[in-house]
Amino acid sequence: MEIIDVVQFQLSGTSYAIDIKTAREIVEMMPITPVPRAPPHIAGIINLRGEITNIMNLSRLMGLSSENKQEGQKIIVLVPEAAGGSIIGLIVDDVHRVLQVNQDDIDKMDASISKEAYVKGIIKTGGSGDGKKDLVIWIDIEKLLSETLCSGEAVV
């Protein structure tokens, strides 16, 4: 039985997760410098300890309703390998925890749906005492970013 580690975060009121191997670090929200004529999903750039980091609004990138800035927003900085060598941070509403998920607690998505939605699967976690499980959407962030990068509008 394989155990998978993911980072669970909140986005537009829904729980999502990405592979922990794609996340380099999680930082508190900081001032973002906007970039002129950037696509809507590009929030701008930050100087993170001397390293220029491209910041993307993950809600907009995934086509979700993106509400105005909220308290507690975080930036998940990805390893460069996850974004084709670019240094990218993703704005999320909040980061909850690192989950260790048993392979049996993941429902794989149908290939046609996962191709369009960039979803690896649905993770069933804990839940309340009534036997219902909480659902976490496991995003294929590498695939999402590689297709965005290929479109030529991901980074500045």
Side-chain angles (χ1 to χ4, degrees), residues 71-136:
E71 287 293 317
Q73 283 186 315
K74 305 276 191 293
I75 299 172
I76 300 174
V77 180
L78 303 176
V79 296
E81 297 79 24
S86 299
I87 301 168
I88 292 178
L90 304 171
I91 298 172
V92 298
D93 295 340
D94 197 8
V95 175
H96 293 294
R97 60 189 167 162
V98 172
L99 274 176
Q100 291 190 321
V101 183
N102 187 325
Q103 193 78 31
D104 296 338
D105 290 329
I106 301 172
D107 284 349
K108 297 290 183 184
M109 295 296 290
D110 177 84
S112 62
I113 294 172
S114 65
K115 180 180 187 294
E116 293 299 319
Y118 306 106
V119 174
K120 285 184 167 184
I122 307 298
I123 301 169
K124 298 173 281 188
T125 65
S128 54
D130 59 7
K132 292 183 180 176
K133 299 262 187 175
D134 294 325
L135 302 179
V136 178

Side-chain angles (χ1 to χ4, degrees), residues 20 22-26 48-49 51 53 76-80 87:
I20 195 150
T22 62
R24 183 176 84 183
E25 62 184 302
I26 297 161
L48 185 61
R49 293 183 298 283
E51 184 175 66
T53 303
I76 300 174
V77 180
L78 303 176
V79 296
I87 301 168

Side-chain angles (χ1 to χ4, degrees), residues 9-75:
F9 58 91
Q10 191 84 12
L11 203 58
S12 299
T14 303
S15 288
Y16 293 91
I18 60 173
D19 292 324
I20 195 150
K21 65 179 170 66
T22 62
R24 183 176 84 183
E25 62 184 302
I26 297 161
V27 296
E28 296 291 327
M29 182 54 77
M30 60 180 61
I32 298 172
T33 304
V35 176
R37 299 184 54 115
H41 61 272
I42 302 289
I45 56 174
I46 62 172
N47 183 345
L48 185 61
R49 293 183 298 283
E51 184 175 66
I52 299 302
T53 303
N54 298 291
I55 303 299
M56 298 177 127
N57 183 318
L58 189 55
S59 288
R60 286 194 180 138
L61 186 62
M62 294 186 355
L64 302 172
S65 65
S66 63
E67 300 151 10
N68 290 336
K69 295 180 182 176
Q70 300 177 357
E71 287 293 317
Q73 283 186 315
K74 305 276 191 293
I75 299 172

